[in-house]
Amino acid sequence: DGGITQSPKYLFRKEGQNVTLSCEQNLNHDAMYWYRQDPGQGLRLIYYSQIVNDFQKGDIAEGYSVSREKKESFPLTVTSAQKNPTAFYLCASNNNRELNQPQHFGDGTRLSIL
Amino acid sequence: RKEVEQDPGPFNVPEGATVAFNCTYSNSASQSFFWYRQDCRKEPKLLMSVYSSGNEDGRFTAQLNRASQYISLLIRDSKLSDSATYLCVVNRGGYNKLIFGAGTRLAVHP
């Protein structure tokens, strides 16, 4: 089945540690996105990538980094500079070659501080 | 002012009721509009896109009012399984970036 796979489902980070969240898609989508969701709030865009080897900062990129070396993969690293990393992280993708295309989501990673 | 605003609810309705949600957006250049559904501790899932002429999918009807910059979702004959948070989503005018409202929570009871 085509879809977006995020791993791990749950992740715990120690103080001062970098952690990497995985996102893989087999939908042949060019565009991929990372969001963060905090309780009672809407999704906020961290980084996005419209094409391989290119990515842009979203609204809350500080303390995060990404890479896009393959079309299928868009890993997110939460660095030690992100002081409040506890949240639900969602990866999405869409076909950006046409207008008005919705984004489809993976099932998310819950990150907590130890 | 938030770019996308929704009434957080919760809307508590009995089975079979009709319920309507509204959402307002601030960017007049926005071109893409969607309603997503999010169950507790799950990822958002696309419910329906919203078109200028309005569109219907079974018990769900979506309307867009560009002049007043609001979007609505009407759910008829509510089911217990409709209980979820409904997210209003708008693109950031001209860009392939979506802005998500904080969501409206619906609880359908027997």
Side-chain angles (χ1 to χ4, degrees):
Chain A
D1 277 359
I4 302 171
T5 302
Q6 289 188 241
S7 62
K9 203 171 181 68
Y10 299 95
L11 186 58
F12 298 92
R13 195 192 88 170
K14 294 179 182 177
E15 293 286 345
Q17 187 182 41
N18 294 353
V19 292
T20 297
L21 284 60
S22 169
C23 178
E24 305 276 332
Q25 55 99 359
N26 60 4
L27 300 167
N28 200 33
H29 286 163
D30 284 315
M32 297 185 74
Y33 309 82
W34 274 106
Y35 294 91
R36 165 183 177 139
Q37 188 175 33
D38 293 279
Q41 296 191 34
L43 278 66
R44 292 183 290 166
L45 183 64
I46 303 172
Y47 267 99
Y48 64 105
S49 168
Q50 302 279 36
I51 199 166
V52 176
N53 293 321
D54 187 47
F55 50 82
Q56 286 82 40
K57 293 181 179 180
D59 299 317
I60 54 164
E62 186 173 347
Y64 300 96
S65 65
V66 293
S67 62
R68 187 84 187 279
E69 297 174 4
K70 297 188 299 181
K71 186 175 185 177
E72 303 79 21
S73 178
F74 191 40
L76 173 75
T77 296
V78 184
T79 74
S80 56
Q82 173 48 247
K83 297 306 179 189
N84 185 22
T86 298
F88 187 36
Y89 289 86
L90 289 155
C91 177
S93 71
N94 73 344
N95 171 9
N96 62 347
R97 298 187 187 189
E98 299 175 27
L99 291 176
N100 303 329
Q101 294 301 302
Q103 294 174 14
H104 301 277
F105 287 85
D107 58 6
T109 293
R110 291 193 180 275
L111 176 61
S112 301
I113 292 289
L114 278 179
Chain B
R1 183 187 171 190
K2 291 183 181 178
E3 291 183 84
V4 177
E5 295 206 62
Q6 296 183 250
D7 182 339
F11 284 59
N12 293 302
V13 302
E15 276 185 288
T18 295
V19 61
F21 307 137
N22 287 330
C23 162
T24 57
Y25 62 94
S26 61
N27 190 333
S28 60
S30 295
Q31 299 169 331
S32 305
F33 309 92
F34 309 98
W35 283 102
Y36 279 73
R37 171 198 169 122
Q38 187 173 25
D39 292 291
C40 189
R41 300 180 68 81
K42 298 284 189 182
E43 76 276 20
K45 293 186 178 176
L46 179 67
L47 181 65
M48 57 198 305
S49 301
V50 185
Y51 303 116
S52 295
S53 54
N55 47 300
E56 188 174 307
D57 183 1
R59 299 182 292 109
F60 299 85
T61 300
Q63 296 279 354
L64 168 62
N65 185 319
R66 285 187 186 272
S68 301
Q69 293 181 210
Y70 81 79
I71 307 151
S72 64
L73 177 68
L74 182 77
I75 305 176
R76 290 181 299 278
D77 188 23
S78 298
K79 312 289 184 193
L80 294 175
S81 57
D82 293 334
S83 297
T85 298
Y86 290 84
L87 307 177
C88 174
V89 184
V90 175
N91 81 315
R92 186 174 278 165
Y95 296 94
N96 193 22
K97 290 197 294 184
L98 300 183
I99 308 301
F100 288 77
T104 297
R105 197 153 62 87
L106 172 65
V108 182
H109 57 81

